Amino acid sequence: MTTNELKNALKSVVRGEVTDEEGARRAASRDTSLFERCPSLVVYPVDANDVSELVRVVGAERERGADISLTARAAGTDMSGGPLTTSVVVSFTKHMNSMGEVGTTSPEDGLRSAQTAGYAVCEPGVYYRDFEEATMKSGLIMPSYPASREIAAMGGIVSNDAGGERTLRYGKTEKYVEEVEVVLSDGSQATFKALTPEELEEKKKLQTLEGTIYREMDTLLTENEALIEQHRPKVSKNSAGYALWSIRSPRGALGTKDSPWHFNLAKLICGSQGTLALWTKAKLALVKPKGHRAMLVIFLHDLNILPEIVNRVLPLNPESFESFDDHTFTLAVKLIPGMLGQMGLVRAAKLGIDFIPEVLLVASGGVPKLLLMAEFAEDTIEAADAKAMAAKEALDDLNLKMKIEKNEKESEKYWIVRRESFNLLRKNVHGLHTAPFIDDFVVPPACYAEFLPKLNALLAEYSSHFIYTVAGHIGDGNFHIIPLMDLSKEENRQVILDLAPKVYELVLKEGGTTTGEHNDGIIRTPYLTQQFGAEMVALFEKTKKIFDPLNIFNPGKKVGGTFADIKRDLITSAEG
């Protein structure tokens, strides 16, 4: 089937647009990763029925041997190459961008943790900023939003199992996914949500693909329970592989009394990067955020005492505990005029004055190795200030340079650098390209004193090929390392394949994971065997086969991706 024939076939069954126009294809050929894949077609479905028809047409062609597939795309802020394909992109932001009900009670309240206070229903094309605007009318948020909150959409947030600055207290997106409506690989529609043992048995009786999935997944989990538990990541956040360990959960942990466990495939769809099914609607739990914040800022010059700092601060329950390194600090100060130029005059002037002490630090050579931000959120400003002061007092004997920012306006400058560092680098460091390939690993905080010097020594071996910045969620060991590279040089592109396994060897030796938030995509799928071993990867492959036997959905991500894929699809321009 030619591209034109496929376009006409899809146009005949969907109400949304189907296009092979160059501009649309080029726009869908990139995300914020290192890769470029130009799709043959872009489809903009208007509803779940459109998605079903797309799947049926593509499935029929694949049965006839055609190399056609469907890859979901929302805002395109993915850093792993997750939404990239040379086949058909299914783009959700144009039409499937509606908010549904936002409520403070639900029939599933008993399945929620004590933290949650409501729920919201949305389609995958909803931007997070619009999602939060709607939920805040009820005084609620989904706290797992990523740093790219202003430009990210819910499709990617759910599909990557996103996390961000508030994950330390509230957990990642999987915790908030209550149910998802999906289109399966035969075009049928299903709703995945928490099931009792009795409800699961009824689902297994269905003589449909949905029934097959429940039967075979229940068998897979039962027969491989010990293996799955053995390979469950031991760190607090993980987006690598399929979350087979999350499907069955103790209900008691969520506050219910009627049953010891539940079975919820929505937890598997979350983080699966659109490789198992295409989700078309999600119901997400919400929390009521604390109203006031105070921040303890720590200027750290000695990394050896970092584990002790973390150990002393975490018992005080900070809402977030973030960091950025000396490279980020210095670059941010240099880029202050550009940052402030994007703001209103009054706000820019205020922030420019606030940054004067940091400018003087750079000028005097007194830049800290890490700047730590421990933010405490409470119902009153007095309580938040008291927590920040208690944290400072807990660290007083370590002779650190510290300051307390007593409200969110005072701490704003640090959040600007932390949240916007990646975009600032992308837009302002010319001649070099941001290269997220070791951008999201997680290690236990207890290993910092030994791990970080080894990591820095390893990165120093490749210092002739890139400069880099480090930012991260220091409270839970999730680091974002962003090298800046000239990708027009073959030797620099080779570094991406040479360095990553060495970094991951250090990470995995400490019991960590290759990705805490950003997921596998093109860049990390080939490393799943290094992390989980061949037996566990075989279970991932079997899971993919159960859901998607024809490999319709986003092939090469999570399962089947190769190092050749990485090398072939790397961008080669200096600025991308």
Side-chain angles (χ1 to χ4, degrees):
M1 176 177 266
T2 67
T3 298
N4 196 55
E5 289 171 338
L6 178 61
K7 179 177 73 171
N8 290 333
L10 295 180
K11 277 187 171 182
S12 70
V13 298
V14 303
R15 292 187 295 140
E17 299 86 354
V18 181
T19 182
D20 59 359
E21 189 268 325
E22 180 74 10
R25 293 169 56 233
R26 284 293 166 196
S29 70
R30 293 291 307 276
D31 52 7
T32 61
S33 74
L34 283 164
F35 303 104
E36 181 171 20
R37 288 181 178 175
C38 192
S40 59
L41 294 173
V42 181
V43 184
Y44 306 95
V46 299
D47 56 21
N49 291 332
D50 264 6
V51 178
S52 289
E53 294 303 321
L54 289 173
V55 172
R56 290 190 179 102
V57 170
V58 171
E61 291 304 315
R62 282 195 76 88
E63 285 187 319
R64 288 192 278 268
D67 185 16
I68 304 169
S69 61
L70 297 171
T71 295
R73 182 183 179 93
T77 59
D78 190 289
M79 297 173 71
S80 74
L84 304 184
T85 180
T86 57
S87 193
V88 180
V89 163
V90 184
S91 183
F92 287 102
T93 53
K94 187 172 185 178
H95 297 302
M96 295 184 68
N97 55 16
S98 297
M99 283 295 299
E101 181 183 10
V102 177
T104 54
T105 59
S106 168
E108 288 79 26
D109 276 349
L111 295 177
R112 295 214 183 98
S113 74
Q115 289 179 318
T116 57
Y119 66 93
V121 177
C122 73
E123 293 181 317
V126 176
Y127 283 90
Y128 177 79
R129 60 178 183 262
D130 299 324
F131 179 92
E132 186 175 285
E133 182 180 0
T135 63
M136 279 300 292
K137 292 175 182 176
S138 299
L140 303 171
I141 64 166
M142 190 182 76
S144 60
Y145 60 79
S148 56
R149 56 186 291 175
E150 295 301 318
I151 55 175
M154 299 307 295
I157 288 174
V158 170
S159 295
N160 283 325
D161 187 17
E165 64 205 38
R166 294 187 179 183
T167 296
L168 181 63
R169 176 181 284 191
Y170 292 107
K172 292 180 65 193
T173 298
E174 180 201 297
K175 181 176 179 179
Y176 299 94
V177 175
E178 295 189 347
E179 62 184 67
V180 289
E181 295 180 14
V182 298
V183 174
L184 301 176
S185 62
D186 65 349
S188 62
Q189 297 179 30
T191 299
F192 293 146
K193 60 181 181 179
L195 302 177
T196 66
E198 296 76 20
E199 290 168 335
L200 174 59
E201 291 306 312
E202 289 302 309
K203 287 287 189 182
K204 288 163 63 176
K205 293 176 184 177
L206 296 174
Q207 298 305 304
T208 60
L209 176 56
E210 182 184 3
T212 299
I213 288 170
Y214 276 111
R215 288 190 297 275
E216 296 192 10
M217 286 305 300
D218 189 37
T219 298
L220 183 147
L221 295 175
T222 300
E223 293 180 349
N224 299 280
E225 183 176 5
L227 178 66
I228 292 169
E229 187 57 33
Q230 176 187 345
H231 290 283
R232 177 198 291 263
K234 302 305 187 286
V235 284
S236 63
K237 59 205 306 189
N238 171 72
S239 284
Y242 289 129
L244 298 175
W245 41 81
S246 296
I247 298 170
R248 290 171 167 167
S249 301
R251 280 197 174 182
L254 294 175
T256 61
K257 302 175 183 178
D258 59 333
S259 180
W261 64 278
H262 73 266
F263 189 102
N264 191 349
L265 289 175
K267 304 298 185 180
L268 180 64
I269 297 301
C270 180
S272 65
Q273 288 200 304
T275 60
L276 303 179
L278 299 184
W279 77 267
T280 57
K281 189 175 290 185
K283 184 176 184 180
L284 303 156
L286 306 173
V287 304
K288 185 174 181 61
K290 301 292 185 180
H292 298 275
R293 286 170 180 78
M295 179 187 288
L296 174 65
V297 182
I298 305 165
F299 300 87
L300 182 64
H301 293 268
D302 179 7
L303 295 181
N304 289 323
I305 61 172
L306 182 57
E308 183 63 21
I309 293 171
V310 174
N311 287 339
R312 296 187 190 188
V313 171
L314 286 184
L316 293 162
N317 195 26
E319 183 178 67
S320 57
F321 196 180
E322 302 292 291
S323 69
F324 52 87
D325 72 337
D326 49 355
H327 300 283
T328 308
F329 190 100
T330 303
L331 281 169
V333 168
K334 291 179 179 178
L335 298 174
I336 282 172
M339 289 192 294
L340 301 182
Q342 300 170 23
M343 304 175 184
L345 183 61
V346 174
R347 184 178 174 215
K350 168 67 167 60
L351 283 173
I353 293 170
D354 287 348
F355 267 113
I356 288 175
E358 283 69 28
V359 174
L360 294 176
L361 273 178
V362 171
S364 66
V367 179
K369 292 186 183 298
L370 282 178
L371 187 142
L372 311 179
M373 306 155 54
E375 189 163 71
F376 299 88
E378 300 297 335
D379 292 326
T380 67
I381 189 61
E382 292 79 12
D385 286 345
K387 280 285 190 74
M389 181 57 70
K392 182 176 183 297
E393 291 172 353
L395 301 174
D396 273 344
D397 65 312
L398 298 179
N399 298 315
L400 301 166
K401 179 176 174 54
M402 297 181 283
K403 59 190 285 194
I404 292 177
E405 305 289 7
K406 290 183 174 294
N407 57 58
E408 290 175 83
K409 288 184 179 179
E410 290 185 12
S411 61
E412 181 181 21
K413 63 181 178 182
Y414 298 114
W415 278 122
I416 287 172
V417 175
R418 175 62 188 88
R419 289 171 177 154
E420 298 300 323
S421 57
F422 180 63
N423 282 331
L424 285 168
L425 294 172
R426 289 179 64 222
K427 295 175 181 177
N428 292 284
V429 181
H430 302 294
L432 300 176
H433 196 284
T434 49
F437 68 98
I438 45 173
D439 53 294
D440 189 40
F441 61 77
V442 185
V443 293
C447 79
Y448 287 166
E450 293 185 1
F451 172 79
L452 290 176
K454 291 178 183 177
L455 175 67
N456 288 329
L458 179 57
L459 295 175
E461 293 178 21
Y462 292 85
S463 60
S464 63
H465 297 278
F466 55 70
I467 61 174
Y468 66 93
T469 65
V470 180
H473 311 292
I474 204 75
D476 52 27
N478 187 194
F479 287 88
H480 301 314
I481 298 182
I482 310 293
L484 304 169
M485 308 176 73
D486 180 355
L487 293 173
S488 65
K489 297 180 178 179
E490 167 63 26
E491 61 267 29
N492 290 347
R493 297 197 298 275
Q494 185 60 41
V495 164
I496 291 168
L497 290 169
D498 292 343
L499 176 58
K502 297 178 182 178
V503 170
Y504 294 150
E505 182 180 0
L506 291 179
V507 168
L508 298 174
K509 190 176 292 184
E510 298 295 346
T513 180
T514 59
T515 174
E517 302 168 344
H518 298 170
N519 221 291
D520 297 312
I522 299 170
I523 193 63
R524 275 178 290 273
T525 290
Y527 294 102
L528 286 172
T529 301
Q530 183 180 358
Q531 174 163 345
F532 290 105
E535 284 186 286
M536 195 67 184
V537 168
L539 290 189
F540 296 156
E541 292 169 349
K542 189 170 183 180
T543 298
K544 170 70 169 175
K545 193 77 172 177
I546 289 169
F547 275 83
D548 184 18
L550 294 175
N551 203 19
I552 293 170
F553 297 135
N554 208 9
K557 324 291 171 55
K558 295 289 189 181
V559 167
T562 67
F563 293 108
D565 295 339
I566 295 175
K567 194 163 188 177
R568 182 189 62 242
D569 294 325
L570 280 173
I571 57 174
T572 57
S573 62
E575 298 185 48

